[in-house]
């Protein structure tokens, strides 16, 4: 279904892809205790705050996919490879610098920056490929 020139089914698929990449990295590949250690988060912090915020976890992928869909429409981005490239560009221009801000002003290890950056880069590229291929 297209509204305002954006295919919302494709945008939803892109958001799901971003979420799936995060699930694979943080839920399957990494041990949660290792991630918490790198992030400077204790088990008590996770139980008190982290789990309460999990309900909001779909918001970021949805916002990212909508923003990318708009940029791709404005830029007439089409094709699988162009989607991958534009997804990487958006990740390097916006998402990854945001992760770096969190590290500079936070308490976690720099190793978490690599993991979070890989997550965002991979997620943006997957979303970009979907958005540009299935207009």
């Amino acid at each position: 279904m297209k509204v305002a020139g954006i295919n919302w089914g494709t945008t939803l698929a892109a958001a799901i892809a971003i979420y799936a990449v995060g699930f694979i990295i943080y839920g399957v590949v990494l041990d949660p205790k290792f991630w918490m250690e790198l992030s400077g988060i204790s088990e008590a912090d996770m139980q008190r705050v982290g789990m309460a915020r999990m309900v909001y976890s779909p918001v970021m992928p949805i916002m990212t996919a909508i923003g990318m869909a708009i940029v791709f429409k404005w830029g007439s981005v089409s094709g699988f490879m162009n989607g991958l490239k534009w997804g990487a560009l958006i990740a390097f221009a916006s998402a990854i610098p945001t992760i770096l801000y969190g590290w500079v002003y936070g308490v976690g290890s720099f190793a978490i920056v690599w993991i979070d950056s890989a997550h965002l880069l991979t997620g943006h590229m997957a979303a970009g490929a979907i958005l540009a291929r299935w207009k």
Side-chain angles (χ1 to χ4, degrees), residues 18-115:
I18 295 168
Y19 199 84
V21 167
F23 172 78
I24 290 166
I25 291 173
Y26 299 108
V28 176
V29 174
L30 289 178
D31 177 7
K33 291 186 186 312
F34 177 68
W35 175 84
M36 287 189 305
E37 180 183 319
L38 291 176
S39 299
I41 298 172
S42 70
E43 186 77 37
D45 292 335
M46 184 57 78
Q47 293 304 319
R48 184 176 44 80
V49 179
M51 297 310 287
R53 295 179 184 172
M54 289 302 256
V55 68
Y56 302 107
S57 63
V59 172
M60 290 79 64
I62 291 168
M63 290 175 66
T64 299
I66 291 170
M68 289 179 69
I70 292 167
V71 169
F72 280 31
K73 180 182 177 290
W74 290 345
S76 300
V77 179
S78 63
F80 182 84
M81 291 305 294
N82 280 335
L84 287 175
K85 288 189 279 188
W86 275 83
L89 175 65
I90 292 169
F92 279 114
S94 180
I96 293 172
T98 302
I99 291 295
L100 289 169
Y101 271 110
W103 174 73
V104 168
Y105 297 109
V107 296
S109 160
F110 191 73
I112 198 67
V113 172
W114 288 107
I115 295 166

